Amino acid sequence: MRSPLRFERRLRQPKWLSLAVPAGSLLAALVLGAVVLLVTGRNPLSTYHRILERAFASQSSLSGTLISATPLAFTGLCAAVAFRMGIINIGGEGQLFGGAILASWAGIALGDQPVWIVLVAMLAAGAVGGMTVALIAGVLRARFGANEIITTLMLNYIVAIFLDYLIFNSKSYWREPKSFGFPKGKQVGPAAFWSPITIGHTAIPRGFIVAVLAGVVVSVLYRTTRFGFEVAVIADSPGTARYAGMRTTRKIIAVMALSGALAGLGGASDVGDFRHVLDAKGLQLAGYGYTGIVVAALARLNPLGTVLVAVLIGGLTNAGYALQGPDFPSGLVGALQGLILFTAVAGEVLVRYRVRRAVPAPVSAAAAGPPTPPVRAGA
Amino acid sequence: MSTADPAQAVAAGGEPTEHPGSPPAAAVRMSGIVKRFPGVVANDGVDFAAALGEVHALLGENGAGKSTLSNILTGLYRPDEGRIELDGRAVHFDSPRDALAAGIGMVHQHFRLVPTFTVAENVALADPHGIGRRQVRHLRQELAAMGAHYGLAVDPDARVWQLSVGEQQRVELLKALHRGARVLILDEPTAVLTPQEADALFVTLRAMVAEGRTVVFISHKLHEVKAVSDRVTVLRHGRTVGTVDTASCTTTDLARLMVGRDVVFRRAERAHPVDPAAAPLMRVRGVSAVNHRGQPAVRQAGFELRPGEILGVAGVAGNGQRELAEAITGMRRPTAGSIEVGGSPVRLGSVRAAHAAGIAHVPEDRLHTGLAPSLSIASNVVLTAYRRPPASRGPFLDRGYIRRHATELMSRFDVRAPGPDTPVRLLSGGNVQKVLLGREFASDPKVLVAASPTRGLDVGAIETVRRLLVQAADEGRGVLLISEDLEEILALSDRVLVLYEGRIVGDVPAADATAERLGLLMGGGAVSRDVG
Amino acid sequence: MVHSHRRARVAIAALLAGAAASTAATAAARTTPPTAPSTAGTATAGTAVGSATAYADPMTNFVPDQGAKPVDCKPKDGPLKAAWVYIGPINDGGWTQAHDVGRQEVQAALGDQVVTTYKENVPEGPQVAQVLEDLIKDGNTLIFGTSFGFQDAFIDVAAKHPNVCFDFATGYKTAANVGQFYGRGEDTDYLTGMAAGAATKAGKVGYVAPFPIPEVIRGINSYALGVQATHPGATLQVVWTNTWFDPAKERAAAESLIAAGVDVVASGQDSPASGEAAKAKGLPWTGYDSDQSANFPDIWLTATNYHWGAYETARAKAVLDGTWVPGNYYGGIADGFARLAPFGKLVSADTQAKILAKQAELSAKPGSHLTGPIKDQSGKERVPAGQQISFEDLMSMNYFVEGVIGEIPSS
């Protein structure tokens, strides 16, 4: 069976496409969404107005959007940094947990120190925590060739169980001893509450500012340094990297460390900006690590684009809560969100590929199609 | 019909005691076969006929069109032109299934077996009618009988992954026999075998033809062809050079046929002759290396390379060229030996050390080892130089310098591309190679190791690349030119080394290097005498 | 993504309210308890065992905070807008669904005086505050929270909106405009245990338990005492899952219990997965928090079910009347908060009669099944003979009674 349409990789990606396609994707999403809304008896215009208003238009809703966006920006960067070198780190989840564990430790231990010291200590602890988890998989990959997809995924579960252990099954340093028997985390000290930076009526979480800075640093690192150059070569052709004498093993470890540290910063932000405790269950329910992979993919692994996409997804998430109710089932909200993401990805395909009608193969009496000749036929 | 006792034939050192003068009906006849692939004509009017009851060798260099021809005969490809007859009747294969049904079996170089299945299960899997559980017992008896008859003993209940490569090959043969194959094609069957296993295989093949089957034996190893075949068809550049009775030819004759006696070599003009008294630029001593499977691939290779010398390394693919090049350029750590450049030893197994010593490398597989295809020309021209100024300052790259440098190299080496930001994968093969050569020349190397530098290029690009290599030698650099293209070796080299099974079996000055002599050495023709 | 994970159900509220709640509960006992027996297996889903007899006014089990003043969260004009925030989907067949039934009861009871809405699948975490702000922006002035993990966000947002009333299920923090509500699941857990005790032949019952917290522990202890009431000397073996909702884990836990030799399985979880494990072996099963009699007709015994609507209706009315005050509600059998799900056909008429008699007793004297002598696993006496466990001890229970096999990790 052959499809009448074929996708061909574009040799060049015209500049205008990279602007026109996202715009076109959005338009397509809105039109498709409008059809769905009309069919289900709702007014598309007022619905869209509400999405815009509750996600971005008002200053207080922008605050909420940034809250949702912050962890996704970190896990998105975590995924982007590794994927850029072809390392499929899907352990942002466990690495974020690792960061949250160490950052909450710092927050509890240093909670009465000066605010800036605690902030820096929590960020450092978070980065180390995420890095530690990531390095387990990184070293296994670099030294023993263990598939990092499997190891990072497994580590997600392992760190999650460790989180449960800290809060539910032990009298750990992180567990609140006076919670009337309910296992929960110990709150960090008062200085470990990262107060948001308020501009007008918009509260910007400090973690978000860290995420933007991290995006800039990663962007500079990958675009302008020898390190970034090596990452690009290793990603494109490991054989060529070896030919050029690049130390692939070290680079894998370095990139995994960086990737894990970024997710770990997200864990620190979760404790410092938002929850102020090590929230074993809440962190596991949030699924930041997995959403971060989607964010990075939509941003085409561009670091600054990742931060931007995180904000868009954060807004979409918040608008989703604003939309749903007895007359607007959350299933429909999910369908709208899915449409927007789907068209974005489809648009991405159009940037890279062109659609052609397949030229019918010369038909022979035989039912079997012709075998595909190998590209490098014995010349 | 051959009535030769196969064992005796082999024992007699490859001289069949008897061969048919003019074979009667052709079991397989292929005439005027043309097969084109984009940019390449793989078979250009090939004629081939194998008789009943003979081992018919298909001899030719890499890329001569042997594999394409066998793929057509097994129904994998359909010829663009030409005619196939079996036992005098025209056939038309639309798929491998048709060819199998017509009694054509093939043993590929890479076996088509399910490793976790037993021998019997693998054979059952290949049964055209499918085999039920109950019939498997019969099958095992049949396998035991066939094994005894043809010398193909294999435990039917062994799992394939437990078998040696030679045993796996027997399973492939049993599969083909079980299906009732009357014509068996074996593609380079001895490439994976030990000499003892190869001898056993020849006995089996003789037994099969003795009962009227036809064996098509694809090889480029002259002594094997001589040992096992009744007749030989030689292909060159996609055409049939001729079919000869094996007994009437010497290995030298076959080598001449294979390489082509009518090739006119145009020696490249050289500015300076090589000074034989000059101190060697590079000295390689006793280098041994293993391939990626851990098997010995280079054995005790040693040679010297003088300034301004182009030293050709000839050999049939897979005789250790790749491993030798990698060992010299630091990509592969030799298991023994030493390398000196300019009198000082080079740390082995380090690309950076080799590079620092002045060894530049034009690898065989340019787009996978040598260039990052998705990255720009600018990025690719600093693939080795990015670590040092002026390409970088501290941890940062100097993008401005890199673009200027790339633009300059592009004009110097005539790279045709929209600009230095163009990804390399969008360039034509010749331009790709010019980017690579430009980069390696720009590093001002003492020694240039070039592996198949013109493979896949068009005539114009080939000329350019050859000119650049000659120019490098004229500038006093040493060039190690590793190629399977004898014509290229002969056109450029001042001296030729011949690699056979990882050993340097010949060191021939340009003046004495003829295609016949090299071809004989490449086919291992000298080995039986020299090494035994 | 579906978060069917549930709240933490900690009625510490009542602990803080202390003796006052006990008094209120006792007061409630004076009202008429439901006693009419039902026919086994014929009760329809959602109907409490007993009957639809009028229940006591839930506000008799409500204790206002000391010195609390009424909060004016009545809308300036138009109907009262009330909202519910759920952690799971409204059709989770358990916790959130029960809460949404409560919302619909409020809507039905108050008609056009009230407009209700809800937000489902809200994860515990930083988004909760944003969801609350959105609801307030939309004009909601009465907001119900149904998951323990929302508590801090509720307290924070409530402080910023003094003219919005918040009622929170299963937490323990109250404020000027935040109240708390929950009730006595342990009473019906005891009755459920009686059904299990009558069903076990081997004298071994297995319990799939979520978290080692007082609320769950007192339920397990009550259940174990119920088992022993109908099968003296029987044991209750406990396996922790550390999750409210994880079908795979729950099923695996039940299978491990069955492998250890239990012949009745009890669930303290939100999903009926342990029932699947029991069904595979044809073993009797008690559920939790939802009526699964229709899905497991052959193995179903009964279960504890919660009914939130009556209290919530009363609170919405209070807003409309301008009499809403913060405080603690701890419901029971008498006011219809904790009810027994319909009996399955495995529960004999004799056992049903015994259970219903005990239900009448517990309705009149809530918590009286926890009357001494009660010994813990080590044989140490925890409640002296003739004395009912104190409310404080009930709320902070951290030991297993005799006959429970299992341990409470580091509480």
Side-chain angles (χ1 to χ4, degrees):
Chain A
M1 288 275 284
R2 288 200 163 196
S3 155
L5 295 179
R6 272 189 312 145
F7 285 96
E8 262 179 22
R9 208 183 167 92
R10 280 180 196 275
L11 291 182
R12 285 148 214 262
Q13 297 172 5
K15 280 241 159 67
W16 62 268
L17 264 182
S18 47
L19 285 176
V21 166
S25 306
L26 189 63
L27 196 68
L30 293 180
V31 171
L32 287 172
V35 171
V36 172
L37 289 168
L38 283 172
V39 166
T40 54
R42 288 170 184 86
N43 181 344
L45 283 182
S46 66
T47 305
Y48 290 149
H49 179 255
R50 196 165 159 84
I51 291 182
L52 198 64
E53 185 213 326
R54 290 305 165 93
F56 308 107
S58 81
Q59 284 174 316
S60 63
S61 53
L62 194 56
S63 309
T65 292
L66 292 181
I67 289 172
S68 297
T70 303
L72 300 183
F74 282 112
T75 52
L77 283 171
C78 162
V81 159
F83 284 36
R84 286 268 292 241
M85 201 173 77
I87 300 289
I88 310 302
N89 174 14
I90 52 176
E93 189 85 359
Q95 290 147 26
L96 183 137
F97 297 167
I101 290 171
L102 284 201
S104 55
W105 167 76
I108 296 166
L110 308 172
D112 49 358
Q113 302 291 314
V115 169
W116 283 103
I117 292 179
V118 184
L119 178 71
V120 171
M122 286 174 75
L123 285 171
V128 169
M131 204 186 284
T132 307
V133 176
L135 277 179
I136 297 173
V139 169
L140 286 175
R141 159 74 200 261
R143 297 271 175 242
F144 306 106
N147 183 330
E148 76 280 3
I149 302 178
I150 312 266
T151 53
T152 53
L153 185 65
M154 287 297 131
L155 278 167
N156 287 347
Y157 292 106
I158 292 168
V159 184
I161 290 168
F162 184 60
L163 264 186
D164 279 351
Y165 170 77
L166 290 180
I167 302 301
F168 294 108
N169 292 334
S170 67
K171 290 179 179 167
S172 74
Y173 184 74
W174 287 263
R175 182 165 171 177
E176 172 59 57
K178 295 173 298 222
S179 65
F180 303 110
F182 188 83
K184 59 178 273 188
K186 200 189 282 175
Q187 197 166 66
V188 294
F193 281 55
W194 303 357
S195 52
I197 302 201
T198 310
I199 297 175
H201 291 286
T202 305
I204 304 172
R206 288 184 188 221
F208 185 76
I209 294 165
V210 175
V212 172
L213 291 176
V216 171
V217 168
V218 169
S219 187
V220 168
L221 182 70
Y222 273 26
R223 288 161 65 105
T224 69
T225 67
R226 284 164 43 184
F227 180 86
F229 181 72
E230 289 170 340
V231 166
V233 173
I234 292 168
D236 192 47
S237 174
T240 300
R242 202 165 66 88
Y243 161 89
M246 293 173 183
R247 290 165 178 148
T248 313
T249 305
R250 287 189 199 185
K251 228 56 69 183
I252 290 172
I253 289 176
V255 163
M256 275 303 277
L258 176 63
S259 175
L262 286 164
L265 288 175
S269 150
D270 185 81
V271 173
D273 279 318
F274 308 123
R275 298 186 208 256
H276 313 300
V277 294
L278 183 62
D279 183 351
K281 279 295 161 200
L283 282 173
Q284 292 176 51
L285 288 178
Y288 295 136
Y290 300 113
T291 315
I293 295 170
V294 177
V295 169
L298 286 174
R300 298 176 67 174
L301 310 185
N302 178 316
L304 290 173
T306 298
V307 176
L308 189 68
V309 171
V311 172
L312 290 176
I313 299 230
L316 218 51
T317 310
N318 277 9
Y321 289 125
L323 276 187
Q324 56 146 296
D327 51 350
F328 207 110
S330 66
L332 188 57
V333 173
L336 279 181
Q337 291 170 332
L339 265 181
I340 292 172
L341 293 185
F342 176 79
T343 48
V345 173
E348 166 68 5
V349 171
L350 287 181
V351 174
R352 293 199 186 172
Y353 297 86
R354 65 174 79 207
V355 182
R356 282 264 174 96
R357 283 182 74 96
V359 185
V363 182
S364 73
T372 319
V375 181
R376 294 160 163 258
Chain B
M1 293 280 281
S2 170
T3 54
D5 172 9
Q8 197 188 339
V10 172
E15 296 295 327
T17 50
E18 189 188 332
H19 72 89
S22 164
V28 182
R29 183 182 296 282
M30 302 172 78
S31 30
I33 300 291
V34 176
K35 180 67 191 174
R36 301 182 192 91
F37 292 113
V40 174
V41 181
N43 282 174
D44 189 5
V46 173
D47 295 318
F48 170 77
L52 278 173
E54 72 166 343
V55 175
H56 195 119
L58 201 51
L59 182 68
E61 290 185 285
N62 295 94
K66 304 177 304 243
S67 294
T68 304
L69 192 68
S70 64
N71 283 334
I72 288 171
L73 187 52
T74 53
L76 199 59
Y77 299 158
R78 278 185 294 178
D80 298 327
E81 292 168 30
R83 187 180 160 80
I84 308 174
E85 289 169 26
L86 292 183
D87 300 324
R89 267 175 300 141
V91 289
H92 181 70
F93 299 146
D94 281 325
S95 73
R97 195 181 289 266
D98 293 353
L100 286 168
I104 291 175
M106 170 125 190
V107 177
H108 293 269
Q109 269 191 63
H110 303 285
F111 304 139
R112 315 283 160 99
L113 296 170
V114 183
T116 52
F117 279 19
T118 65
V119 170
E121 284 165 347
N122 268 286
V123 175
L125 208 58
D127 189 277
H129 311 295
I131 280 194
R133 193 176 274 261
R134 268 196 297 162
Q135 289 145 294
V136 169
R137 192 181 311 157
H138 291 286
L139 179 63
R140 294 169 60 210
Q141 287 164 0
E142 181 196 329
L143 288 178
M146 282 199 302
H149 183 69
Y150 295 105
L152 293 171
V154 189
D155 174 7
D157 297 321
R159 306 221 170 253
V160 163
W161 61 265
Q162 298 170 315
L163 302 179
S164 73
V165 178
E167 287 173 312
Q168 291 185 23
Q169 190 178 61
R170 285 183 216 161
V171 180
E172 284 284 15
L173 285 166
L174 288 170
K175 258 168 70 179
L177 290 169
H178 172 76
R179 299 171 105 145
R182 292 176 303 120
V183 179
L184 258 157
I185 306 166
L186 290 91
D187 188 7
E188 307 262 356
T190 59
V192 294
L193 300 183
T194 64
Q196 292 76 15
E197 285 174 326
D199 287 346
L201 172 69
F202 297 159
V203 175
T204 300
L205 296 184
R206 297 301 330 173
M208 286 180 351
V209 296
E211 48 179 44
R213 297 180 205 270
T214 302
V215 170
V216 179
F217 185 93
I218 299 173
S219 180
H220 51 231
K221 294 188 179 165
L222 300 172
H223 65 271
E224 280 175 19
V225 168
K226 194 79 178 110
V228 75
S229 70
D230 297 308
R231 291 193 302 156
V232 184
T233 294
V234 182
L235 295 186
R236 195 188 329 132
H237 300 317
R239 293 170 200 241
T240 307
V241 178
T243 301
V244 294
D245 287 345
T246 311
S248 66
C249 297
T250 62
T251 46
T252 313
D253 297 335
L254 290 174
R256 191 186 302 122
L257 279 172
M258 179 167 87
V259 176
R261 75 190 117 197
D262 51 345
V263 174
V264 180
F265 298 117
R266 195 160 47 81
R267 284 284 307 170
E269 293 294 319
R270 295 292 290 278
H272 321 286
V274 179
D275 177 5
L281 258 183
M282 178 164 74
R283 193 178 270 138
V284 174
R285 283 194 185 127
V287 165
S288 296
V290 295
N291 63 16
H292 62 276
R293 288 193 297 268
Q295 298 157 337
V298 179
R299 303 163 204 252
Q300 295 286 318
F303 59 86
E304 290 176 350
L305 178 64
R306 285 168 211 291
E309 182 179 40
I310 299 181
L311 179 57
V313 177
V316 174
N319 274 288
Q321 295 96 318
R322 187 191 186 103
E323 289 80 5
L324 178 65
E326 290 185 350
I328 293 170
T329 55
M331 292 184 69
R332 183 177 297 272
R333 185 179 296 281
T335 51
S338 68
I339 297 168
E340 283 172 21
V341 172
S344 9
V346 181
R347 189 155 60 86
L348 299 177
S350 161
V351 171
R352 292 193 194 192
H355 216 264
I359 300 173
H361 184 194
V362 178
E364 190 179 337
D365 186 5
R366 309 185 264 282
L367 279 176
H368 292 100
T369 316
L371 292 168
S374 299
L375 303 190
S376 65
I377 296 173
S379 292
N380 273 287
V381 297
V382 291
L383 212 48
T384 44
Y386 74 95
R387 288 186 197 94
R388 295 172 301 275
S392 60
R393 270 173 296 180
F396 293 99
L397 297 173
D398 185 340
R399 288 274 169 195
Y401 165 80
I402 292 171
R403 286 190 91 246
R404 285 197 304 277
H405 177 60
T407 314
E408 184 201 316
L409 279 185
M410 284 170 71
S411 72
R412 206 169 113 202
F413 291 90
D414 191 26
V415 177
R416 310 268 171 86
D421 300 323
T422 310
V424 163
R425 70 183 152 81
L426 300 181
L427 304 182
S428 71
N431 282 310
V432 165
Q433 190 64 308
K434 283 188 269 184
V435 169
L436 209 160
L437 284 170
R439 177 185 73 211
E440 293 307 304
F441 283 11
S443 70
D444 192 19
K446 293 193 178 76
V447 174
L448 184 69
V449 179
S452 303
T454 60
R455 176 190 281 177
L457 303 187
D458 60 35
V459 178
I462 290 173
E463 277 311 308
T464 309
V465 170
R466 288 185 180 175
R467 187 169 46 73
L468 287 169
L469 292 176
V470 169
Q471 185 189 326
D474 285 344
E475 288 166 8
R477 309 178 205 279
V479 177
L480 192 68
L481 171 67
I482 300 172
S483 178
E484 288 145 29
D485 183 346
L486 263 190
E487 186 200 340
E488 177 162 286
I489 296 264
L490 291 168
L492 296 178
S493 309
D494 300 301
R495 193 154 60 94
V496 183
L497 303 177
V498 179
L499 268 184
Y500 178 74
E501 291 184 346
R503 278 179 222 282
I504 294 177
V505 293
D507 183 345
V508 188
D512 305 337
T514 59
E516 293 80 359
R517 184 163 177 196
L518 295 183
L520 194 62
L521 290 165
M522 284 162 63
V527 176
S528 50
R529 287 196 302 272
D530 302 348
V531 185
Chain C
M1 243 198 300
V2 176
H3 302 296
S4 295
H5 302 250
R6 194 176 53 181
R7 70 294 121 180
R9 307 159 294 180
V10 187
I12 299 304
L15 175 60
L16 302 177
S22 292
T23 319
T26 317
R30 281 193 296 272
T31 57
T32 320
T35 48
S38 77
T39 318
T42 56
T44 50
T47 313
V49 170
S51 78
T53 317
Y55 292 104
D57 175 5
M59 292 315 282
T60 53
N61 282 334
F62 179 79
V63 182
D65 281 355
Q66 273 194 329
K69 293 191 190 82
V71 181
D72 177 20
C73 37
K74 204 177 152 185
K76 301 275 176 297
D77 46 30
L80 167 64
K81 287 184 157 182
W84 278 250
V85 184
Y86 304 137
I87 188 156
I90 54 164
N91 54 358
D92 67 350
W95 183 258
T96 294
Q97 188 163 342
H99 274 288
D100 202 54
V101 168
R103 178 187 68 82
Q104 290 165 30
E105 283 173 20
V106 172
Q107 186 71 64
L110 298 178
D112 55 11
Q113 288 178 277
V114 62
V115 175
T116 64
T117 188
Y118 63 82
K119 302 293 175 194
E120 59 180 325
N121 286 326
V122 177
E124 293 175 359
Q127 272 109 356
V128 179
Q130 181 65 21
V131 168
L132 292 175
E133 293 287 358
D134 262 333
L135 286 169
I136 293 166
K137 211 181 275 178
D138 288 341
N140 293 287
T141 53
L142 173 61
I143 300 177
F144 293 98
T146 65
S147 184
F148 179 72
F150 296 163
Q151 180 168 263
D152 291 342
F154 266 68
I155 298 292
D156 289 352
V157 173
K160 290 182 201 152
H161 299 277
N163 288 322
V164 177
C165 293
F166 296 87
D167 250 314
F168 197 86
T170 72
Y172 56 88
K173 293 181 183 171
T174 58
N177 54 342
V178 183
Q180 290 284 349
F181 63 109
Y182 194 38
R184 298 185 173 275
E186 59 271 19
D187 290 12
T188 40
D189 287 343
Y190 180 86
L191 302 175
T192 310
M194 287 174 71
T200 176
K201 294 186 181 70
K204 289 179 176 177
V205 181
Y207 195 102
V208 181
F211 292 101
I213 61 175
E215 172 207 340
V216 173
I217 292 167
R218 66 178 181 259
I220 292 171
N221 284 337
S222 299
Y223 192 98
L225 293 173
V227 168
Q228 288 160 3
T230 49
H231 193 126
T235 59
L236 183 67
Q237 191 167 342
V238 175
V239 171
W240 300 111
T241 61
N242 274 333
T243 177
W244 295 115
F245 181 93
D246 184 339
K249 236 180 185 177
E250 294 169 28
R251 184 173 180 148
E255 280 164 353
S256 76
L257 286 167
I258 293 167
V262 308
D263 64 354
V264 176
V265 178
S267 168
Q269 305 279 160
D270 280 2
S271 106
S274 56
E276 297 287 352
K279 194 174 167 181
K281 299 280 183 196
L283 299 177
W285 177 63
T286 65
Y288 187 76
D289 207 19
S290 75
D291 173 17
Q292 294 287 338
S293 54
N295 297 329
F296 298 89
D298 297 330
I299 59 165
W300 177 253
L301 296 173
T302 183
T304 287
N305 283 179
Y306 298 122
H307 291 256
W308 309 92
Y311 170 75
E312 289 168 343
T313 305
R315 295 294 272 170
K317 257 189 210 148
V319 170
L320 289 167
D321 298 343
T323 59
W324 190 98
V325 288
N328 287 286
Y329 166 76
Y330 202 63
I333 294 175
D335 67 359
F337 172 78
R339 302 187 200 177
L340 213 50
F343 290 120
K345 62 187 179 196
L346 295 179
V347 187
S348 69
D350 182 41
T351 307
Q352 291 194 23
K354 266 191 208 160
I355 292 174
L356 289 176
K358 189 69 187 178
Q359 177 173 257
E361 191 186 323
L362 285 175
S363 177
K365 289 185 195 150
S368 61
H369 61 288
L370 290 165
T371 300
I374 292 175
K375 289 181 181 168
D376 67 16
Q377 284 169 309
S378 67
K380 183 178 157 198
E381 188 177 87
R382 293 292 193 147
V383 183
Q387 211 173 310
Q388 186 174 333
I389 191 169
S390 76
F391 201 75
E392 290 82 352
D393 289 350
L394 182 64
M395 288 299 116
S396 58
M397 204 173 221
N398 63 352
Y399 58 87
F400 278 145
V401 299
E402 245 179 349
V404 177
I405 302 168
E407 58 180 300
I408 299 170
S410 327
S411 56

